[in-house]
Amino acid sequence: MPTNRLRCAAATVLLPLAASLVACGGNGDGSSTSTIATATTAAAPTVTMALSASKASVNSPVTLSWSSTDASSCTSSDSWSGSQTIRGSKSITPAAGGQFSYTITCTGAGGAVAKTVALTVPIPVLATSYENKNDIALDDPKLPNLQDIPGVTLESGEQNIGERGVAFADFLQEGAFSAITASTYYKDVFPGSNPSKWPDSPAKLYFLRKDAGGKWTDVTSQLIKTPSDRSICVSPGFIEIADMNKDGRPDAVISCTGPDFTINGVFDDSSLQYAVLSQPDGSYRVVMIGVPSIYAHQMALADIDGDGNVDILSVDTGHFHSPIVLWGNGDGTIRVDATRFPADMFQKAIYGIRAIPINGKINVVVSGNPTGAQAGPPASNEFGTKVLQYINGKFEYVNDLSAGIPKASGTNLTYALALDAIYSGGYYYFLRVNGDYTGSAVVKTDATTGASTLLTEVVRGNAADTSGVLKLTSTGNFVSQMANCGANAIKLTDYFHYQCTFSISLR
C-alpha cells in the first residue's frame, strides 16, 4: 500500500510580535506533526547617563557621559541638542549660572528611552554692588508683604519690610536668585518721643526664596544658625551685594541709620553698620563693620584702589560729616579712612553715593540737594550731584551734573537728591527726590554736559510713590526694586515710600 506523503508549503506571514507560527510536515506513516515557533520581542533600549559633578562653577568644565544598549540612534535635548552616538562623552563648560538639564533619548527596534541629569551652576557674584543690582538676570525685583509669605508670623511690634531694604543674589548657591531683607520694629522704647511709631529697636533679618510654584518662602533658618543672629540695626536702608571675603559667594552690606527722630530733645540718627558674611559651612553670619556710629544713608561697594578687595564707600552726615572709604581687607573686615574725599565735601548734606563702572573706571556719583531745592538744607550745606574718580590716592572731581536739573511745570518742584543712578549709552538716569521727599522723578542727564530731561514725575499722595532704588531690566525698562507690594502693605508714616508698579522705558 503506497505511503501518503503530506506536504505543507511554508508561507511567510507577517504577524504581531509574540504571535505563534505553525509548521507542518509528513511523518511517513500518514500522520503529521506541528512545530510552534515563537517570534522574539525586540528588547527595549537602556540608557545610562552621568555628570562628573552635579554642581560646577561658571567656566569650570564637567564631563557628561552616556551609553545605550539595543539602540540605533540617540538625540539630545534641553540644555544641549542634536544627534549623538549611542555611547560617548562630552565636556561641558557652563558660561552662566543657572539650573541646567541634559536629556538624551535613544531609539531602537524596541522603542525609545530617555534619561535626564541636572547640573547646578551657582550664579556668580559680580565685581560691584552696582552690577549686582543692575546686571543680574532678574527682571522682577520685588517682594510681597512679609505677612503674605507662608510660614512667616510677625512678632508683636514687628513691621513690614523697609521699602529700600531688599537685595537679590544666589545666597543658597542653587543657580537661582534668593532675597535678603529685614523687617523693622516699633516697641515703644521711648514712650512719648515717637508719635509716628517709627522703628526704634533692632530690625530682623530675613532670607527668602521662590519655590517651584513661584511663591516666596522663608529660608532664614537654612542660612542663619540661631535666631539671635538675625538682629541688625534699627533702620536698615539700602542693601548692597558683593563678595567681601573672597569666597565666591555673595555677601550683603547694609547702610544703617538710627531711629531718625528726636529722643528726649536730641535728634538721634546715627548707627553702627552691619554686614552679612558667608561662612565656610554655607551659612551666613551678621557682623558689625568696624566703623564708629555714623549716618550711613547710602553705601556703594567696589574695588576702588585695585588691590583685588571690595571696598565700601559711605556717606555720613553724623560723625565724619563727609563721605568716607572703608578699605576692604579681603576677609570681611575693613579699615576706616576719612581722608580721601575733597575737603569741600565737609559739612555738606550729601545722602546719595553710587560707584558705577564705566569704560574700565569706577565713577563715584555723589549727590545732595543743590541751591533751589524745596525745603533743602541751608545754602552752606548744599552740594548738588557730582562725579569723582580715584586718582593718585584721592577722589577728584571729573564732572558736575548739578546744573540743568529741570523743574516740573505742574508741581514747580525741583528734583535734586539722587537716591539712585544708572548709566546707559552716555546718559545717567537718576531717581531724584525733592528737598522734603514730597515727590520723586526719573531724570535723564547727559553724562558729559549735565543737560537733563524730566522723564516722569510722582508726587506724594498718588498711589505710586517710588522706593529710591531703580533696576535696569533685560528689556530696557527701569523698574522699582523694592518690597512692600500689595494692598496690605503697612505704611507707617508719610516718610516711607511704596511702589509696586513703577516702570519706565529707557529712552
Side-chain angles (χ1 to χ4, degrees):
M1 183 175 181
T3 301
N4 293 323
R5 298 180 180 271
L6 299 178
R7 297 185 179 272
C8 182
T12 301
V13 182
L14 296 177
L15 297 174
L17 292 175
S20 296
L21 299 178
V22 179
C24 53
N27 291 328
D29 59 358
S31 65
S32 64
T33 60
S34 298
T35 302
I36 300 175
T38 302
T40 303
T41 301
T46 64
V47 178
T48 60
M49 192 181 192
L51 283 165
S52 58
S54 60
K55 180 179 284 190
S57 302
V58 169
N59 296 325
S60 296
V62 294
T63 301
L64 175 65
S65 57
W66 69 95
S67 65
S68 179
T69 62
D70 299 307
S72 57
S73 64
C74 295
T75 303
S76 54
S77 57
D78 291 335
S79 297
W80 64 327
S81 62
S83 297
Q84 306 295 337
T85 57
I86 60 174
R87 62 181 57 83
S89 64
K90 180 179 180 65
S91 179
I92 295 172
T93 302
Q99 299 171 344
F100 304 96
S101 295
Y102 298 89
T103 298
I104 192 164
T105 302
C106 294
T107 304
V113 175
K115 179 74 173 180
T116 299
V117 293
L119 176 65
T120 297
V121 183
I123 299 171
V125 191
L126 302 178
T128 67
S129 57
Y130 176 89
E131 293 166 288
N132 283 308
K133 175 172 70 76
N134 293 299
D135 292 356
I136 60 174
L138 179 70
D139 285 351
D140 185 22
K142 300 182 184 70
L143 294 178
N145 300 311
L146 278 175
Q147 61 266 34
D148 295 333
I149 296 175
V152 173
T153 301
L154 299 184
E155 300 178 35
S156 176
E158 186 177 5
Q159 301 161 349
N160 199 41
I161 305 166
E163 77 284 353
R164 299 169 188 160
V166 57
F168 301 87
D170 190 359
F171 295 105
L172 293 163
Q173 296 292 277
E174 61 180 5
F177 289 105
S178 40
I180 184 172
T181 188
S183 64
T184 55
Y185 274 90
Y186 169 71
K187 292 187 176 180
D188 202 17
V189 175
F190 308 103
S193 299
N194 188 7
S196 297
K197 297 186 177 181
W198 288 11
D200 59 4
S201 62
K204 183 178 178 181
L205 190 70
Y206 283 87
F207 282 102
L208 306 171
R209 73 181 291 271
K210 277 186 179 180
D211 62 20
K215 299 292 185 181
W216 285 97
T217 59
D218 183 5
V219 294
T220 311
S221 60
Q222 295 183 37
L223 296 176
I224 300 290
K225 288 185 175 181
T226 59
S228 61
D229 290 338
R230 297 175 66 174
S231 293
I232 49 175
C233 52
V234 170
S235 299
F238 300 86
I239 300 180
E240 312 295 342
I241 302 297
D243 182 6
M244 299 299 299
N245 54 12
K246 301 177 72 170
D247 65 355
R249 296 176 58 201
D251 302 305
V253 176
I254 305 167
S255 58
C256 291
T257 66
D260 225 359
F261 61 86
T262 299
I263 301 173
N264 299 326
V266 178
F267 187 73
D268 185 359
D269 61 358
S270 294
S271 173
L272 297 173
Q273 305 301 309
Y274 291 81
V276 187
L277 301 179
S278 55
Q279 303 298 302
D281 63 359
S283 68
Y284 278 83
R285 185 166 64 93
V286 177
V287 300
M288 282 191 294
I289 299 173
V291 62
S293 185
I294 62 175
Y295 186 78
H297 186 268
Q298 194 170 80
M299 291 180 170
L301 314 181
D303 180 6
I304 298 300
D305 57 0
D307 67 351
N309 300 326
V310 175
D311 308 305
I312 304 172
L313 302 180
S314 179
V315 296
D316 172 39
T317 57
H319 181 88
F320 296 103
H321 302 287
S322 173
I324 59 175
V325 186
L326 309 179
W327 297 113
N329 296 320
D331 59 359
T333 64
I334 56 91
R335 308 181 310 278
V336 182
D337 191 341
T339 68
R340 304 291 175 156
F341 282 91
D344 64 2
M345 286 187 164
F346 184 71
Q347 293 285 15
K348 301 298 183 181
I350 298 171
Y351 301 108
I353 188 166
R354 286 296 190 221
I356 305 176
I358 302 174
N359 299 326
K361 297 180 179 180
I362 300 295
N363 287 256
V364 179
V365 181
V366 181
S367 186
N369 281 330
T371 302
Q374 178 176 331
S380 60
N381 290 350
E382 293 168 347
F383 182 75
T385 300
K386 301 178 183 180
V387 183
L388 303 92
Q389 291 179 357
Y390 191 68
I391 302 171
N392 297 324
K394 295 283 186 178
F395 284 100
E396 298 182 6
Y397 294 117
V398 295
N399 207 351
D400 188 341
L401 303 178
S402 304
I405 295 176
K407 183 172 289 189
S409 58
T411 60
N412 204 35
L413 298 180
T414 298
Y415 296 106
L417 168 60
L419 295 181
D420 205 358
I422 291 176
Y423 177 85
S424 180
Y427 293 90
Y428 289 105
Y429 294 81
F430 291 110
L431 180 57
R432 295 185 179 272
V433 293
N434 70 311
D436 59 3
Y437 284 67
T438 57
S440 53
V442 177
V443 177
K444 178 181 179 180
T445 300
D446 189 297
T448 301
T449 67
S452 296
T453 303
L454 179 69
L455 297 184
T456 187
E457 177 187 20
V458 177
V459 180
R460 182 61 54 78
N462 293 348
D465 293 340
T466 54
S467 71
V469 184
L470 286 179
K471 168 72 169 70
L472 180 61
T473 71
S474 63
T475 57
N477 288 342
F478 297 122
V479 296
S480 178
Q481 173 170 303
M482 64 168 297
N484 290 45
C485 293
N488 296 323
I490 303 171
K491 190 166 185 177
L492 305 179
T493 73
D494 283 342
Y495 179 83
F496 289 84
H497 291 204
Y498 296 86
Q499 165 51 249
C500 297
T501 57
F502 179 84
S503 179
I504 182 174
S505 298
L506 181 138
R507 62 182 188 270

